[in-house]
Amino acid sequence: MSSQNEPLVLHSRASEALFRAVRTGNAFEETVERLLQAIRLGVVAPGERLPAERELAARLNVSRVTLREAIRALQESGYVESRRGRYGGTFVNVEPPRPSRKGPRRIAREMGVDLHDALTHRHVLEVGAAEQAAARDLGEAERAHLVSRLSDAGTAELHNYRRMDSRLHLAIAELSGSASLTSAVADVRMRLNELLDAIPLLERNIVHSNEQHEEVVRAILDGDPEAARRAMAEHLEGTASLLRGFLS
């Protein structure tokens, strides 16, 4: 993790995908959404600082007034805090707000989620991302980044597992080389993560999930697109089965 006293430099494909220009019609709402995506999906980790206001406003293509209003909303919701002084800025809170205690079925109703649609969308995107990542000639830094994210997910404590899992999946999307695909994967993860947060973390499922993560990463590093595709499809079906079970 970056030091709290150093500016967070975000140049990864995930940050490029999330901190992209917003549409003008709902600038405030979309700015809040982008910042929440970056926090919840682990692109900006607990204790780390968001990019400087001037840089972030430019990247999102919003006014600094709109950005400040969005950050204030996140402060009031308990996601970030602002610090003054030489090493000041906006930092992600180490302790995130407590998740909703609502059941998954109620959340699904309130969100208006079509589970089949969301799971199909995720399958197409993430299976394709794994296949494309395996087809690319990855550099040493890219390979090291993927291995690091795999290790983070494999050693994550229970309360932090969802975020580390999301960050690994985003890393795979990053390695596809497509910012548009990375953005789409982030969007569908956000649709499903609220539902995932409402179901219990099962120890056996986490062990199995980590084993499948290793298979996916091994296939990508070996440059085997078909194996990466199969491994990711099998992995996603496990999550889909859990969601269908808890929502049925």
Side-chain angles (χ1 to χ4, degrees):
M1 182 184 296
S2 300
S3 167
Q4 294 185 14
N5 292 330
E6 296 175 357
L8 180 63
V9 180
L10 294 171
H11 292 304
S12 71
R13 294 188 182 97
S15 68
E16 291 172 1
L18 295 181
F19 293 130
R20 67 194 188 278
V22 306
R23 294 181 291 272
T24 57
N26 300 291
F28 168 74
E29 290 82 0
E30 194 166 342
T31 298
V32 171
E33 178 186 15
R34 297 287 173 77
L35 296 177
L36 279 174
Q37 282 183 328
I39 293 168
R40 288 175 172 171
L41 297 180
V43 174
V44 187
E48 289 185 334
R49 183 165 63 180
L50 292 173
E53 184 180 284
R54 183 189 301 274
E55 175 193 351
L56 194 51
R59 292 173 68 174
L60 294 171
N61 194 31
V62 296
S63 70
R64 294 174 76 170
V65 171
T66 296
L67 177 62
R68 287 168 187 160
E69 290 175 347
I71 289 174
R72 187 179 305 115
L74 295 187
Q75 282 181 287
E76 293 172 354
S77 301
Y79 286 96
V80 300
E81 64 174 353
S82 292
R83 303 176 193 169
R84 297 184 180 277
R86 181 179 178 184
Y87 298 111
T90 301
F91 291 79
V92 177
N93 284 333
V94 174
E95 292 293 333
R98 292 184 178 181
S100 171
R101 292 185 179 275
K102 299 175 184 176
R105 277 181 277 187
R106 179 178 173 185
I107 290 174
R109 286 197 304 271
E110 292 179 356
M111 291 173 65
V113 170
D114 181 327
L115 188 62
H116 175 74
D117 176 74
L119 292 174
T120 300
H121 189 198
R122 183 192 184 194
H123 178 92
V124 171
L125 290 173
E126 295 210 40
V127 168
E131 181 180 27
Q132 289 301 309
R136 290 185 62 238
D137 183 15
L138 301 178
E140 287 303 314
E142 291 177 311
R143 297 170 74 87
H145 176 64
L146 182 59
V147 171
S148 175
R149 293 305 182 191
L150 175 65
S151 176
D152 288 344
T155 59
E157 295 181 5
L158 197 63
H159 73 277
N160 207 24
Y161 185 77
R162 296 283 191 217
R163 186 172 64 84
M164 291 294 97
D165 175 65
S166 293
R167 196 61 194 88
L168 172 60
H169 282 259
L170 271 182
I172 292 170
E174 290 171 338
L175 295 184
S176 72
S178 169
S180 297
L181 179 55
T182 305
S183 175
V185 168
D187 287 343
V188 77
R189 291 288 304 197
M190 288 297 291
R191 288 180 69 190
L192 291 173
N193 272 6
E194 190 168 355
L195 290 176
L196 288 170
D197 285 342
I199 67 176
L201 279 167
L202 309 176
E203 184 177 354
R204 181 66 190 93
N205 173 249
I206 291 176
V207 171
H208 190 212
S209 180
N210 285 333
E211 291 170 350
Q212 292 177 327
H213 284 160
E214 291 178 4
E215 291 181 15
V216 174
V217 170
R218 186 182 308 114
I220 292 172
L221 296 177
D222 287 346
D224 189 337
E226 182 56 35
R229 184 179 184 86
R230 287 196 308 269
M232 181 62 85
E234 181 178 343
H235 174 53
L236 297 181
E237 182 52 36
T239 301
S241 295
L242 279 180
L243 281 172
R244 285 193 294 262
F246 278 99
L247 291 172
S248 63

